Amino acid sequence: MTKQNPTPAIRAGSLAHFETTARRVGLDPAVLLRSEGLDLDALRNPDGRLPAAAVASLLEAAAAEAGQPDFGLRLAELWSLADLGPISLSVAHQDTLREALGALDRRRVEFSDAVALGLHETARSAELRVRLVLPGGVASAQLADFVLGKTVKLCRAMLGPAWLPLGARFRRFEPRELSTYRRLLGSDALVFGAAGDALLLRPGDLDVRAPRMPDPALRRHAEALIANLPSIGAGSIAQRAGSLIRAGLSDGTADLNHVARALGLNGRTLQRRLKAEGLGFSELLDQVRGELARAYLADRQTPMHQIATRLGYADGSAFTRWFTQAFGAAPSRWRETAEAGAEQPAQLQSA
């Protein structure tokens, strides 16, 4: 039986300052929220989950209505580490930024399966790349700005309030006014129209000891408390594993061992628990890939090679072979017939 995976979601606590930010630019937050099928009560339950597509659309609508293309960064300026919820206890007690990012990555399904940070290093550079998992056609410039801004605040929480990045890259167009970007990022090294969104760091920043004395005992205590809290990603093991697969496909962390570790299990135990729910890990991986592939193909502006990368394939030919076997048509043909209004298979052929 085919299992349905949850829609990508974001922890409501991430938008703790949306109401304040909206009012500051002359907007009625309640009206904006209703336009996306949300309400103020949803924001006041910090451990609730909001559809990521609705959040992205909400931020775009706020920016457009207020005439403030920096709305996402304005929202990030009010964000604090505490807005991560209970996992902030573990992150804050790490010794270095690298360890804090690792702690965040291990618990990322707790705050969003639609947002991930990927660390890419060379001997001379380090980048924190923002990756968003959203349905095709959903505008995301404001959400990407918000995530980049939050990442700056996270780095400053670990390295001190005077810390500055080397620069930042944005997929979005360059706004007319850059004062908010310069205020938050403290840098003129801002590149717009880039291939992706990323924060540029000094490699040494990752392993600098935090300017305080983290208490290892407090860290262990925090992690023990977090482990015993009900997960906001609670659901069947297939649903939780599916969320992690969705978040990890493009950066190579959607394999059995990575997903099992993020769930606090070993690979064999995860396989056994998935089997009890009627499917195996490979089947679940294909289901998530199929769901995302259809969403990406529905957006004509997303090139095939980019879809292949997002789905974890090293090249387009491997993606084409998998998709053709799974859906009975090459992805290019699937896209053409979808645009023509022809009915497409809703599930994998093997489902």
Side-chain angles (χ1 to χ4, degrees):
M1 181 174 62
T2 300
K3 306 290 183 182
Q4 296 299 314
N5 295 306
T7 300
I10 292 175
R11 183 177 181 271
S14 296
L15 295 185
H17 306 287
F18 175 80
E19 185 174 358
T20 298
T21 306
R23 293 193 188 283
R24 283 184 177 181
V25 295
L27 301 178
D28 184 333
V31 171
L32 283 166
L33 286 160
R34 281 197 299 272
S35 71
E36 301 301 330
L38 305 170
D39 57 39
L40 287 172
D41 286 342
L43 298 191
R44 289 165 184 165
N45 173 22
D47 288 332
R49 290 172 73 81
L50 307 175
V55 171
S57 296
L58 174 69
L59 300 187
E60 294 294 328
E65 187 167 333
Q68 299 288 351
D70 59 358
F71 185 87
L73 278 192
R74 288 171 179 258
L75 182 59
E77 284 190 297
L78 298 182
W79 184 88
S80 73
L81 191 60
D83 293 325
L84 285 173
I87 63 172
S88 64
L89 297 172
S90 174
V91 173
H93 284 94
Q94 303 299 318
D95 292 327
T96 66
L97 177 59
R98 185 188 299 278
E99 292 173 356
L101 292 169
L104 196 63
D105 184 64
R106 289 191 296 273
R107 307 290 300 194
R108 66 184 175 183
V109 73
E110 299 295 330
F111 59 91
S112 178
D113 55 2
V115 177
L117 295 176
L119 178 60
H120 297 261
E121 296 179 77
T122 69
R124 301 178 60 183
S125 67
E127 297 182 8
L128 279 173
R129 298 177 185 174
V130 172
R131 182 166 47 81
L132 303 177
V133 180
L134 295 169
V138 175
S140 59
Q142 296 300 321
L143 181 57
D145 278 7
F146 178 47
V147 175
L148 264 185
K150 291 195 301 179
T151 304
V152 172
K153 301 292 289 290
L154 168 65
C155 292
R156 287 184 182 150
M158 297 301 300
L159 300 175
W163 178 85
L164 295 174
L166 289 176
R169 293 203 301 263
F170 303 85
R171 292 182 63 188
R172 60 166 299 164
F173 65 87
E174 182 173 347
R176 296 185 304 275
E177 173 57 53
L178 292 175
S179 58
T180 306
Y181 291 83
R182 290 172 177 148
R183 182 170 66 242
L184 184 58
L185 296 163
S187 171
D188 286 329
L190 309 175
V191 177
F192 294 88
D197 300 285
L199 193 65
L200 312 182
L201 294 75
R202 300 161 191 84
D205 288 343
L206 293 164
D207 298 306
V208 171
R209 301 279 293 188
R212 50 180 167 62
M213 293 296 290
D215 186 331
L218 281 176
R219 179 170 61 197
R220 290 192 297 271
H221 183 54
E223 290 173 351
L225 286 173
I226 293 166
N228 287 308
L229 288 173
S231 169
I232 66 165
S236 72
I237 197 70
Q239 289 175 324
R240 296 167 63 197
S243 293
L244 289 164
I245 290 170
R246 182 187 289 108
L249 272 170
S250 69
D251 63 7
T253 60
D255 60 277
L256 174 64
N257 289 330
H258 273 99
V259 172
R261 194 156 51 243
L263 292 169
L265 306 171
N266 61 42
R268 184 174 298 177
T269 301
L270 175 56
Q271 285 278 37
R272 185 171 63 251
R273 292 183 61 179
L274 285 171
K275 185 177 180 180
E277 294 184 10
L279 76 171
F281 184 83
S282 294
E283 181 184 355
L284 179 62
L285 178 61
D286 276 349
Q287 286 181 13
V288 175
R289 271 199 172 121
E291 166 198 331
L292 292 175
R294 293 193 303 272
Y296 294 149
L297 287 168
D299 180 3
R300 184 72 179 181
Q301 302 305 309
T302 305
M304 290 294 178
H305 69 86
Q306 192 174 101
I307 294 174
T309 300
R310 289 180 181 180
L311 296 177
Y313 289 102
D315 58 68
S317 60
F319 164 59
T320 297
R321 286 194 300 273
W322 170 81
F323 190 92
T324 302
Q325 182 178 8
F327 290 96
S332 57
R333 177 61 179 162
W334 195 97
R335 174 178 268 174
E336 290 170 1
T337 53
E339 288 179 340
E343 185 176 349
Q344 297 296 333
Q347 306 295 339
L348 300 174
Q349 289 193 347
S350 59

